[in-house]
Amino acid sequence: MHTKTHVSEYKYYASDLPDPYLKRRQEFGRLFYGSLGIAQIDLEARSRQTAKNYTFFGAPVGLIVTIDRRLEVGSWLDLGMFVQNVMLAAAGRGLQSCPQETFAKYHRILRPLLSIPAEQMVVCGISVGKAKVERPDRLMPRADIDEFATFVGFET
């Protein structure tokens, strides 16, 4: 199938991603591929790395998460909290996890393989397993809380 055939049923990114989100996304790409020794211009190596998504990065457990397409944005918030709780539960049991939006693009393949009903939309996958390499340091730096949150009424 042509790659244009594989598109998600929902938009993950804004068409014109504004700063600071665009800069964060670009920085993550630079740091992530750099940590793997892959140059940004090496499209073949990047493609090989991306392909690892579809084997759940070698994890023994791969979950496919769906949502009833008739539900609205509030239910998507609930689903996000559910996914986060699955990931926290895994961490509480000494496991690593990775949410993977890329599976949403392959709903036409996943639907018959997993008997996903038509009213369900594929949202993401989640890889779950033990880390092959422990990485105590954080790859992506965290933004200072003042950059993305405002607290009113908590002055000391």
Side-chain angles (χ1 to χ4, degrees), residues 3 5 30 43 48 53 55 68-69 73 81 88 90 101 104 113 123 125 133 137 144 151:
T3 54
T5 304
R30 184 180 55 75
L43 299 181
R48 280 192 308 272
N53 276 280
T55 60
D68 190 312
R69 68 178 66 252
V73 70
M81 291 182 274
L88 288 170
E101 174 273 335
L113 287 174
V123 175
V133 177
D137 56 328
D144 289 333
F151 298 95

Side-chain angles (χ1 to χ4, degrees), residues 1 106-118 122:
M1 283 187 197
Y106 296 93
H107 59 93
R108 289 187 183 112
I109 294 170
L110 293 168
R111 189 170 305 287
L113 287 174
L114 301 176
S115 301
I116 299 171
V122 175

